[in-house]
Amino acid sequence: MQTNSFTIKVGGHVTLLFSIQSNSDNLDEQGSRGAGICIDKGVEVKTTAKKGNGKVTVCSDEKNLSARLYNLVIEQTSKQFEAVNEYNWEFEIKSDLPFGQGFGCSASGALSAVICILRIIDETDSLFQNALTIAHRVERIMSGGLGDVTALGVGGVELRLEPGLPFSPNKGLILGWSAEFPMLLCWVNDEERHTSEYIDNENWKMKISSAGEQCISKLNKKKWNEDRWGDLLEQSKLFSENSGMLFDSNRNNIINILEDILNELNISSFWDVRLCMLGTSAILLPRHLEKYNKKDLEKVLKKLKGLKLTGCIAHLNSNPLLI
């Protein structure tokens, strides 16, 4: 062990559209097809190891954080690296964003924790692949994010064409491109939802997957690059409507509030509002990547403060893992 403590922050992820692919008995093959955006806001985990027997302690002031996730991180990592069981582990967790609001915080936290552990026990060969594999399995055991972990592995604006891990013998396939642009994340306090409420519900699963597959087939017709930005905005809007997600859990209210603000500020021709899947949250994105004013987002943020909404400005993250 080179050090007994390590800290890393992994950015989060916003899913804009998806279909559920969770029927396989193999966790590595489960996931989703879909598209989304990796963001610079995320979860920081400070991990400390002391000689012991694998005991886990989680320290955090974050609401809706699951201590079970970090116990599963140790359980799954120790299956591959027995040295993990020789220590007690403490995780101190800080997040830029709320858990349970569609920002990929569970995936971000799991990846941060796994990377820290592997650094501490000096198992850095194939670090990228091992971190993604273990965090993905933890997420699937938790019935959490279907594609957040693999999306964070590619970064930028991603298109997930095949579910699961993108390493042999699995057939996961994910594409990504990157650009410089800001966005605004917005959420309703105390209205968090867990992904399992939807992906474990057969009715929702059918509606979401049907809508998602239609959108993905459109996005997969041309090369995935910056030129597809307008297509992604169009298909993500159609997905929120056709899946029924727009009209569930007061999500339509947050869209209407943000659109009213854009109209009031006379900037609606430059910005589009989209739902974050699967929280009571939304993301404000530039309609054209080469034509926006970042100061617009600061004006919107000021308006939110009196409307029982919370928000922050974020940026696209082309390399969330930095390992």
Side-chain angles (χ1 to χ4, degrees):
M1 182 167 60
Q2 292 184 330
T3 177
N4 73 331
S5 183
F6 201 86
T7 302
I8 192 171
K9 177 180 174 180
V10 172
H13 174 255
V14 172
T15 293
L16 296 176
L17 59 91
F18 68 108
S19 72
I20 300 166
Q21 311 283 330
S22 59
N23 290 334
S24 174
D25 292 331
N26 184 344
L27 297 177
D28 295 354
E29 296 175 354
Q30 294 180 15
S32 65
R33 304 177 73 213
I37 296 173
C38 296
I39 55 180
D40 58 350
K41 301 291 185 181
V43 178
E44 178 185 276
V45 178
K46 178 181 179 182
T47 304
T48 304
K50 296 179 181 178
K51 278 292 183 180
N53 57 5
K55 179 183 176 183
V56 177
T57 303
V58 179
C59 304
S60 181
D61 294 329
E62 304 296 335
K63 291 173 58 181
N64 302 301
L65 180 145
S66 170
R68 179 176 176 242
L69 183 143
Y70 294 89
N71 279 274
L72 283 171
V73 163
I74 292 299
E75 177 186 299
Q76 291 296 310
T77 309
S78 67
K79 287 183 177 181
Q80 191 167 344
F81 303 100
E82 293 182 4
V84 170
N85 291 322
E86 298 174 10
Y87 303 95
N88 290 334
W89 298 91
E90 180 177 281
F91 299 105
E92 296 179 47
I93 300 151
K94 298 177 183 177
S95 181
D96 299 322
L97 300 163
F99 286 74
Q101 283 286 23
F103 300 130
C105 290
S106 294
S108 175
L111 278 165
S112 296
V114 175
I115 294 167
C116 286
I117 294 165
L118 297 180
R119 293 279 191 192
I120 289 171
I121 64 174
D122 199 24
E123 290 286 356
T124 54
D125 290 343
S126 302
L127 179 59
F128 179 82
Q129 181 169 333
N130 287 331
L132 285 181
T133 298
I134 294 166
H136 176 79
R137 290 171 182 171
V138 168
E139 279 277 82
R140 295 309 309 124
I141 293 169
M142 293 279 294
S143 272
L146 289 159
D148 291 328
V149 170
T150 53
L152 291 170
V154 73
V157 180
E158 103 287 340
L159 178 66
R160 303 187 303 281
L161 293 175
E162 295 297 338
L165 291 167
F167 316 118
S168 181
N170 308 298
K171 298 178 181 178
L173 177 61
I174 182 168
L175 309 174
W177 56 264
S178 190
E180 293 284 337
F181 64 87
M183 63 199 81
L184 186 142
L185 307 174
C186 177
W187 59 93
V188 181
N189 287 321
D190 302 319
E191 286 198 21
E192 296 80 5
R193 305 292 294 269
H194 193 275
T195 302
S196 62
E197 294 179 42
Y198 296 97
I199 64 175
D200 292 342
N201 179 297
E202 285 302 319
N203 186 42
W204 273 116
K205 186 175 179 179
M206 186 169 60
K207 289 170 66 176
I208 288 170
S209 295
S210 175
E213 286 299 313
Q214 292 179 43
C215 297
I216 296 159
S217 66
K218 298 282 180 62
L219 294 177
N220 194 28
K221 286 185 176 179
K222 299 177 184 176
K223 186 177 180 181
W224 187 245
N225 56 31
E226 288 184 47
D227 295 336
R228 311 303 308 285
W229 181 246
D231 295 329
L232 176 58
L233 291 177
E234 179 184 359
Q235 294 304 318
S236 59
K237 182 178 182 181
L238 288 172
F239 173 80
S240 67
E241 296 169 352
N242 295 338
S243 66
M245 300 302 298
L246 179 61
F247 310 106
D248 182 63
S249 191
N250 297 319
R251 290 187 177 91
N252 204 22
N253 291 343
I254 194 171
I255 296 291
N256 291 337
I257 289 171
L258 285 170
E259 288 181 343
D260 286 345
I261 292 174
L262 293 178
N263 288 327
E264 184 181 338
L265 295 172
N266 199 29
I267 55 174
S268 58
S269 60
F270 299 101
W271 301 92
D272 269 340
V273 187
R274 293 293 181 269
L275 289 177
C276 302
M277 304 298 168
L278 287 155
T280 308
S281 54
I283 185 169
L284 196 56
L285 296 163
R287 286 195 176 182
H288 305 284
L289 297 181
E290 70 285 350
K291 190 178 179 182
Y292 60 82
N293 187 342
K294 185 179 177 181
K295 290 183 179 179
D296 288 348
L297 299 182
E298 295 170 3
K299 294 175 182 177
V300 174
L301 203 54
K302 286 182 180 179
K303 292 280 187 182
L304 292 179
K305 291 182 179 178
L307 297 171
K308 296 182 180 180
L309 294 174
T310 305
C312 68
I313 296 172
H315 294 82
L316 186 72
N317 193 349
S318 60
N319 187 9
L321 300 191
L322 292 174
I323 59 175

